[in-house]
Amino acid sequence: MTLIWRKQLEIGDEAIDTDHKYLICLINTVELTLRTPQNRELLPTTLAQLEEYTHTHFEREESIMLAIRYSRYDQHKIQHQLLLKELAAIQKKIEAKGDGEFTEEECTAIATLFRHWLLDHLVKEDTQLRAALTGK
Ligand SMILES: [Fe+2]
């Protein structure tokens, strides 16, 4: 269930849009790693990259919001903090498996969690930022 970038997700700020595309790539990489037992030892690295880049991206987005005196800054920042907690919970779920293999159902369940984790925020919160940045 590969995540695919689509034009409707565009925010209108090049740095933010590039970050969002890269986060989609990282989530797809995590899913591929989960589904490929031979790549199992890459899993901690892919998860760490996703976590690290999420922090980088949220900081960038928050500084852009501050720069334009975005009226929903506080609410949006709280959403980012919740997303970091959710990401940590998903990571724990993955790590709890230890060295065990993931079943098809488990992979799909985790991929679904990641899909909602990112896309819900992009659609509900970041598109409001698009309106502030571009007027659209
Ligand atoms: Fe955001």
Side-chain angles (χ1 to χ4, degrees):
M1 205 170 41
T2 309
L3 277 181
I4 295 169
W5 169 260
R6 46 184 200 272
K7 193 84 177 156
Q8 298 98 292
L9 296 173
E10 208 162 70
I11 301 304
D13 177 278
E14 206 184 329
I16 294 178
D17 285 326
T18 303
D19 279 354
H20 287 164
K21 287 172 187 164
Y22 190 50
L23 286 171
I24 285 176
C25 288
L26 287 172
I27 288 177
N28 286 336
T29 304
V30 170
E31 185 185 353
L32 185 64
T33 313
L34 280 173
R35 290 189 189 278
T36 318
Q38 300 92 316
N39 275 335
R40 187 54 193 273
E41 53 191 296
L42 304 182
L43 192 53
T45 309
T46 55
L47 281 172
Q49 281 182 335
L50 176 61
E51 187 190 3
E52 195 184 318
Y53 205 78
T54 300
H55 278 98
T56 303
H57 166 61
F58 285 173
E59 279 167 22
R60 192 185 339 269
E61 211 174 76
E62 285 161 18
S63 66
I64 289 170
M65 288 192 280
L66 277 179
I68 63 164
R69 297 173 178 271
Y70 183 50
S71 62
R72 287 184 54 82
Y73 174 81
D74 289 339
Q75 295 99 306
H76 200 130
K77 192 181 162 95
I78 288 169
Q79 290 304 317
H80 285 171
Q81 286 163 346
L82 290 174
L83 286 167
L84 290 174
K85 281 189 187 156
E86 281 175 30
L87 180 60
I90 301 173
Q91 278 177 302
K92 260 198 176 154
K93 214 170 253 190
I94 293 172
E95 284 160 9
K97 193 77 183 166
D99 289 332
E101 235 178 72
F102 291 90
T103 63
E104 179 66 31
E105 292 73 33
E106 285 171 329
C107 290
T108 302
I110 292 168
T112 304
L113 286 175
F114 275 124
R115 167 183 290 265
H116 288 301
W117 175 77
L118 182 66
L119 292 186
D120 284 357
H121 180 72
L122 293 194
V123 170
K124 289 179 192 154
E125 204 59 55
D126 288 346
T127 46
Q128 297 192 57
L129 178 58
R130 170 175 63 207
L133 281 164
T134 66
K136 288 179 210 156

